Amino acid sequence: MRFLTAGESHGPCLVGIVEGFPGGVPIDVEGINSDLARRQQGYGRGGRMAIERDQVEILTGLVNGETIGSPITLRIVNRDYPNWAGKEHPPITLPRPGHGDFAGSVKYRLSDTRLVAERGSARDTAMRVAVGSLARQLLKGFGIESGVHVVKIGGAALEERAVPFALLAQAESSPVRCVDKKASQAMLEEIDKARADGDTLGGIFEVQVKGVPVGLGSHAHWDRRLDGKLAWALMSIPGIKGVEIGDGFACAGRRGSQVHDELFYEPGKGYYRTTNRAGGIEGGMSNGEILVVRAAMKPIPTLQKPLRTVDIRSHEPGLASVQRSDTCAVPAAAVVGEMAILTVIAQEFLAVFGGDSLKEIEERWHRFQ
Ligand SMILES: Cc1cc2nc3c(=O)[nH]c(=O)nc-3n(C[C@H](O)[C@H](O)[C@H](O)COP(=O)(O)O)c2cc1C
């Protein structure tokens, strides 16, 4: 399964084509819309999110609510487009530090950084969510489920490191997608303070996936490693600067006896572990434990109190352009991250239990159980 996305932030629509999705999978379009709505929520978002109410249309590949094995075309209309089209938009020549504005205008020989931002903005992540939501519907039938929560925004962090999968649903009712009320409150206050100062914030989110069978990915070749693929998927989300699998960076300062998860076996129960510091991956393969992956997001680069920059036409010093923008988008990025991970899990699941129809996958899956 592979996919392409296209569309500009203020263009008429976003488009996605998913190829290699098996036939015979029932798809609930409203389920995709509710994941799109999850991406749009979150305290700290800017004016755009009040305008957009993303709804997906499936243009191809779906007949009577079931996939038929042919490419699935998804479209999300940009509701902001009519407010934008046909109006004069003076060129922006003051690149925002932290965005692709500078490098993109040099690389593509563009004298208006807006033309870079149109595609480089995170608007495209709506389509990443729609694609991941399709993957979620395929995986759910095989007992593979996910959750996501925010563990840090600016200086406000969740105290406990290990949050059980069953608790993650609580994050859905928090405006900052955090499972703990006290930490949520501290995060809200951090966002308010940053906004009042004309500044922005980043943070950390954690995705967990339950029910992943043993053996997705492979130790056999570098580009088949599951950890590598997950890190790539997360790092491809605008603003993500770090990825951690399991205890990640903390492992570097501990002894092996405090890092590796011992293996046990009991008849009737099978193999089991009492710890999951590896985050469900060993040797580039899923090991049957819950997958635990964290990503760090840098602060939003559009500051209302702008940073110093240089005009790309005159080379005179100036202040970065100020545009309508989020103060903090970590709760939204968390949903994008969750869907990016489900997309990779679905790809790897199909590679093992593959492919053409749901029936065929189910037969192989039952043989594996
Ligand atoms: C869901 C989401 C929403 C975002 N909203 C904004 C925004 O409103 N303004 C902004 O300047 N950056 C926003 N960003 C971050 C930028 O897209 C990102 O920092 C930029 O593309 C540069 O990051 P990079 O260096 O990792 O590519 C958002 C990111 C995500 C994932």
Side-chain angles (χ1 to χ4, degrees):
M1 185 181 101
R2 57 196 171 138
F3 68 97
L4 284 173
T5 69
E8 277 76 35
S9 185
H10 295 93
C13 62
L14 303 171
V15 177
I17 298 183
V18 182
E19 198 278 321
F21 198 90
V25 182
I27 296 299
D28 168 21
V29 176
E30 278 319 303
I32 304 177
N33 286 335
S34 62
D35 279 325
L36 289 171
R38 289 173 68 225
R39 190 198 76 101
Q40 293 190 279
Q41 289 151 11
Y43 196 73
R45 308 297 311 271
R48 174 92 190 241
M49 287 308 111
I51 298 165
E52 301 289 358
R53 284 280 173 277
D54 287 336
Q55 300 275 308
V56 75
E57 295 163 77
I58 301 194
L59 305 181
T60 70
L62 198 69
V63 174
N64 298 330
E66 273 192 11
T67 57
I68 55 169
S70 56
I72 301 171
T73 308
L74 308 157
R75 179 170 66 183
I76 301 170
V77 166
N78 283 331
R79 300 207 175 181
D80 203 13
Y81 178 62
N83 307 327
W84 191 261
K87 293 195 182 134
E88 280 287 309
H89 299 288
I92 298 177
T93 55
L94 290 158
R96 293 162 299 172
H99 247 296
D101 298 4
F102 170 70
S105 52
V106 172
K107 179 177 167 71
Y108 290 97
R109 310 278 201 276
L110 298 169
S111 53
D112 178 1
T113 67
R114 196 196 298 280
L115 302 174
V116 180
E118 274 300 309
R119 181 70 186 144
S121 100
R123 178 73 190 128
D124 189 58
T125 61
M127 189 49 75
R128 297 280 302 269
V129 167
V131 171
S133 189
L134 270 181
R136 179 211 275 286
Q137 295 193 21
L138 168 69
L139 295 171
K140 198 163 180 234
F142 298 94
I144 302 174
E145 290 183 301
S146 63
V148 65
H149 67 123
V150 170
V151 297
K152 189 170 185 170
I153 288 183
L158 184 69
E159 269 169 34
E160 59 269 36
R161 168 90 205 184
V163 173
F165 182 84
L167 274 190
L168 298 186
Q170 290 183 15
E172 296 297 314
S173 51
S174 156
V176 280
R177 209 170 284 286
C178 174
V179 293
D180 179 78
K181 282 210 167 86
K182 209 170 127 211
S184 285
Q185 191 52 38
M187 290 175 188
L188 291 172
E189 285 165 18
E190 282 274 302
I191 295 171
D192 284 341
K193 274 191 248 156
R195 189 190 284 123
D197 293 341
D199 219 325
T200 59
L201 290 173
I204 298 175
F205 62 82
E206 178 183 274
V207 180
Q208 294 188 19
V209 191
K210 196 179 143 200
V212 180
V214 178
L216 300 195
S218 176
H219 68 291
H221 199 253
W222 66 268
D223 62 356
R224 293 176 59 199
R225 291 181 65 98
L226 185 62
D227 38 10
K229 291 188 181 195
L230 293 174
W232 183 16
L234 287 173
M235 292 291 284
S236 69
I237 299 168
I240 301 302
K241 293 296 132 203
V243 174
E244 205 180 43
I245 312 259
D247 280 2
F249 281 84
C251 295
R254 292 191 211 138
R255 291 185 167 193
S257 56
Q258 299 306 304
V259 168
H260 304 300
D261 306 305
E262 290 178 307
L263 189 61
F264 305 95
Y265 182 86
E266 264 178 37
K269 186 173 177 179
Y271 294 107
Y272 70 96
R273 317 241 186 180
T274 54
T275 54
N276 181 23
R277 299 161 186 142
I281 303 181
E282 287 168 306
M285 292 168 281
S286 54
N287 65 6
E289 300 299 310
I290 291 180
L291 202 78
V292 184
V293 188
R294 290 184 168 209
M297 184 181 194
K298 70 182 181 182
I300 298 285
T302 310
L303 272 63
Q304 300 307 307
K305 220 184 245 174
L307 297 172
R308 286 176 294 177
T309 188
V310 173
D311 190 298
I312 54 169
R313 284 193 187 164
S314 67
H315 298 161
E316 291 295 324
L319 291 176
S321 64
V322 180
Q323 301 162 25
R324 183 181 60 195
S325 182
D326 300 333
T327 304
C328 171
V330 179
V335 175
V336 182
E338 180 188 18
M339 295 299 135
I341 284 191
L342 288 178
T343 305
V344 173
I345 297 298
Q347 286 170 323
E348 297 307 306
F349 184 84
L350 290 174
V352 174
F353 299 101
D356 301 323
S357 70
L358 183 62
K359 205 160 178 292
E360 176 201 338
I361 302 166
E362 281 170 348
E363 281 164 13
R364 291 206 204 171
W365 172 257
H366 288 306
R367 252 182 279 145
F368 175 82
Q369 297 304 301

